[in-house]
């Protein structure tokens, strides 16, 4: 049985505008000596996502979903992670993690003394199914200290960088534009034009265009394509058919969606579905 950590609910979508990066809270779970790591499990409710709020940890942190998906906010980027994908945050890195509705997300804390020397910056890591089960087994099972420490060392050695990381969605730093970006990320299916989005937020098209160019280094159209592909990876990992994913991500034809998906990820939606969805569903 999975040990779960209670978190409070905050509405129906991961927050973006309300995140307070200037003063992140500190604390949370810490690894107790002499152990090298520990894992906490967040069990999302069936109806709404849950979020932790912006905070930091004294230990390093590996964020990974066991079932479903999670949304990880760092100061300038949003990532949607699916089973098999993880993201490493060095000690002291401000972040907010939201367990998407109906999902199970895991947080593995690694003591500073056990962090490999090349893990000094955030990075995508692959968390294979066998490794997930080892981490959960360590969390739920009593064993002698020497065996636990040996197993924890093996787990750390097995972690590897992900050759196909999650689609990163950079976000504008300007609070006004961040609010607009948050709305777009909540509704990737929307076909509203840039002009319509700007008008909805009482902004000029020129202001929005300049902000995206300056803050994220790309046009609004290209950025929205990343948003849609990020949403698509989550839906595909859930086993949704490609034609449905195309519609849910704002594309009128499957061929147009498949071409856009390949441009961003390097593979077709069908290939991604085969790589990600099948291993994730095999557990159930």
């Amino acid at each position: 049985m999975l040990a779960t950590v209670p978190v409070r609910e905050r509405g129906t979508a991961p927050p973006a505008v309300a995140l307070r990066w200037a003063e992140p809270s500190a604390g949370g779970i810490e690894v107790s000596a002499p152990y090298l790591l520990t894992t906490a499990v967040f069990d999302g409710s069936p109806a709404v996502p849950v979020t932790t709020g912006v905070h930091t940890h004294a230990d390093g942190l590996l964020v990974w979903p066991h079932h479903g998906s999670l949304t990880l906010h760092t100061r300038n980027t949003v990532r949607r992670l699916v089973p098999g994908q993880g993201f490493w945050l060095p000690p002291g890195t401000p972040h907010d993690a939201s367990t998407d509705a109906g999902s199970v997300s895991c947080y593995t804390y690694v003591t500073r003394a056990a962090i490999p020397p090349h893990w000094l910056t955030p990075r995508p890591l692959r968390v294979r199914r066998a490794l997930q089960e080892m981490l959960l087994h360590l969390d739920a099972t009593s064993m002698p200290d020497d065996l636990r420490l040996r197993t924890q060392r093996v787990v750390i050695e097995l972690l590897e960088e992900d050759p196909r990381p999650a689609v990163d969605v950079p976000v504008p730093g300007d609070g006004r534009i961040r609010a607009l970006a948050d709305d777009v990320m909540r509704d990737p299916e929307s076909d509203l034009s840039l002009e319509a989005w700007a008008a909805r937020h009482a902004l000029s098209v020129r202001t929005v265009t300049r902000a995206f160019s300056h803050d994220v280094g790309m046009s609004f159209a290209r950025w929205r394509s990343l948003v849609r592909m990020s949403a698509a990876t989550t839906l595909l990992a859930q086993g949704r058919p490609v034609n449905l994913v195309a519609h849910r991500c704002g594309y009128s034809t499957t061929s147009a969606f498949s071409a856009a998906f390949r441009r961003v990820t390097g593979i077709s939606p069908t290939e991604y579905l085969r790589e990600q969805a099948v291993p994730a569903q095999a557990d159930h």
Side-chain angles (χ1 to χ4, degrees), residues 70-155:
L70 68 85
T71 303
L72 176 65
H73 293 255
T74 50
R75 190 179 299 273
N76 298 309
T77 309
V78 177
R79 298 171 182 84
R80 297 289 295 276
L81 300 175
V82 298
Q85 297 175 334
F87 200 80
W88 169 256
L89 299 170
T93 305
H95 63 281
D96 168 81
S98 301
T99 301
D100 295 339
S103 300
V104 176
S105 298
C106 301
Y107 302 83
T108 298
Y109 304 85
V110 181
T111 186
R112 285 175 179 266
I115 296 175
H118 59 286
W119 288 12
L120 300 179
T121 58
R123 65 192 57 229
L125 297 180
R126 177 179 288 183
V127 188
R128 298 179 186 272
R129 183 60 61 177
L131 190 58
Q132 294 181 35
E133 297 306 327
M134 289 177 68
L135 287 166
L136 295 175
H137 179 72
L138 282 168
D139 180 61
T141 307
S142 298
M143 62 182 70
D145 282 355
D146 59 339
L147 175 58
R148 184 176 297 277
L149 287 168
R150 290 200 304 273
T151 307
Q152 290 178 346
R153 292 189 187 98
V154 170
V155 165

Side-chain angles (χ1 to χ4, degrees), residues 241-263:
V242 175
N243 60 340
L244 174 62
V245 175
H247 175 72
R248 292 277 298 276
C249 293
Y251 289 87
S252 57
T253 67
T254 301
S255 59
F257 165 70
S258 296
F261 190 89
R262 184 181 287 277
R263 282 195 299 270

Side-chain angles (χ1 to χ4, degrees), residues 2-7 29 39-44 64 66 99 103-107 109 135-136 139:
L2 297 180
T4 59
V5 177
V7 289
I29 295 174
T39 298
V41 181
F42 284 53
D43 190 356
W64 53 279
H66 179 62
T99 301
S103 300
V104 176
S105 298
C106 301
Y107 302 83
Y109 304 85
L135 287 166
L136 295 175
D139 180 61

Side-chain angles (χ1 to χ4, degrees), residues 9-69:
E9 301 171 0
R10 289 190 184 178
T12 59
V17 181
L19 296 182
R20 301 179 62 180
W21 296 103
E23 299 178 356
S25 61
I29 295 174
E30 293 188 16
V31 182
S32 301
Y35 307 116
L36 307 181
L37 59 84
T38 189
T39 298
V41 181
F42 284 53
D43 190 356
S45 77
V48 297
V50 289
T51 184
T52 57
V54 179
H55 62 287
T56 63
H57 296 287
D59 295 318
L61 177 64
L62 173 63
V63 182
W64 53 279
H66 179 62
H67 170 68
S69 58

